Amino acid sequence: MKTKEFVQNLWGNSSAGLITAGYNEWLAAMHPITKEKVHFIGAWAMYPGGETATPQGKSSWFFVRYADGTYRLIRIWDEGNPLTNATNGLKGCRSIVPSPFPEEAGFVWYFCGFDLTGQGTTSVAGRKAWIYKGIIDNPNTGLISTPSIKLFPNPANDLITISGLQDDFKGTIYIYNSIGQMLLTEQKTGSQISIETGNLNSGIYFIKIKNENGEVITRKFIKQ
């Protein structure tokens, strides 16, 4: 894949002066629900307008390669922690590693870089490292989600609550078991919603949250 041509086709000719690079090895991953096999490739891509004008410009990015040979460029950013004092943004994603914690195995990844500038200075000596925790979501809409959406209590008994959604959230909630079978689907609205889980057996489950725009976030929970 020619990374510069790929990003120009995606973002237009205004990105003609962009910087693109692939950094780490092709790291194999699998979606916890769909079981689709993909590869992650760290990248540095300059968004049109530069690295200071927009949140997209300050973001970092990485490529996903799918089994059919197609690619997708995915944004690394957390709206809840926007690093507003980072003059030139996150820049390149230098490393991607799976979570070492057993409770996060298979669906949480850590994305890292060390080109963050503007934390008091833009000189080489002022560079800072960054680490973002990413949760694998729908491979068709993006794999990195923000940590502001939480489940509680977790582990759950008869009820589990989803908090941190947008005030005007409207969408569908799905629950899957650990082998990818869909067990429940409900239409919900509001920034905090609850789902009855009393009829689920003890074990590990995934909640998929899909809004009206088709954007998807996945969270893992345990039923006691």
Side-chain angles (χ1 to χ4, degrees):
M1 179 186 67
K2 296 181 179 179
T3 58
K4 185 171 182 177
E5 292 181 5
F6 179 92
V7 178
Q8 284 180 321
N9 289 334
L10 182 66
W11 288 338
N13 291 332
S14 60
S15 55
L18 59 82
I19 304 169
T20 57
Y23 283 114
N24 67 296
E25 69 277 10
W26 285 28
L27 192 62
M30 180 181 290
H31 191 280
I33 292 176
T34 67
K35 308 303 181 185
E36 180 178 6
K37 294 181 179 179
V38 298
H39 286 82
F40 297 157
I41 309 158
W44 186 337
M46 187 179 292
Y47 194 77
E51 298 175 316
T52 62
T54 64
Q56 290 84 354
K58 291 185 177 183
S59 302
S60 189
W61 305 82
F62 71 101
F63 289 103
V64 179
R65 185 187 189 277
Y66 297 95
D68 62 1
T70 59
Y71 289 82
R72 189 175 182 88
L73 187 62
I74 303 298
R75 182 185 175 200
I76 301 172
W77 189 250
D78 181 2
E79 299 292 349
N81 297 280
L83 296 174
T84 54
N85 60 334
T87 304
N88 293 320
L90 299 177
K91 296 184 180 288
C93 177
R94 297 278 187 168
S95 182
I96 305 172
V97 295
S99 173
F101 305 110
E103 67 273 16
E104 297 178 342
F107 75 107
V108 171
W109 298 77
Y110 287 86
F111 299 77
C112 317
F114 55 79
D115 301 290
L116 175 63
T117 59
Q119 302 286 32
T121 177
T122 57
S123 68
V124 173
R127 291 180 176 175
K128 306 292 183 181
W130 57 267
I131 299 175
Y132 267 60
K133 177 181 179 180
I135 299 173
I136 298 182
D137 289 329
N138 189 329
N140 296 317
T141 60
L143 294 168
I144 294 301
S145 62
T146 63
S148 59
I149 297 176
K150 302 182 183 299
L151 305 181
F152 66 90
N154 192 5
N157 286 310
D158 296 330
L159 198 72
I160 193 162
T161 298
I162 306 168
S163 67
L165 298 166
Q166 293 182 342
D167 291 339
D168 59 350
F169 172 82
K170 293 180 182 180
T172 308
I173 308 300
Y174 306 85
I175 292 183
Y176 296 83
N177 62 17
S178 59
I179 61 173
Q181 297 172 322
M182 187 174 69
L183 306 179
L184 178 147
T185 176
E186 291 187 13
Q187 299 293 318
K188 292 289 185 177
T189 62
S191 62
Q192 182 167 299
I193 56 182
S194 296
I195 304 290
E196 293 184 1
T197 55
N199 61 341
L200 298 177
N201 296 324
S202 298
I204 296 173
Y205 295 88
F206 296 91
I207 284 184
K208 184 170 78 171
I209 306 160
K210 183 177 182 181
N211 68 15
E212 289 184 313
N213 298 323
E215 298 169 331
V216 175
I217 290 174
T218 303
R219 292 291 186 266
K220 176 182 176 182
F221 75 96
I222 296 173
K223 170 64 191 316
Q224 289 183 330

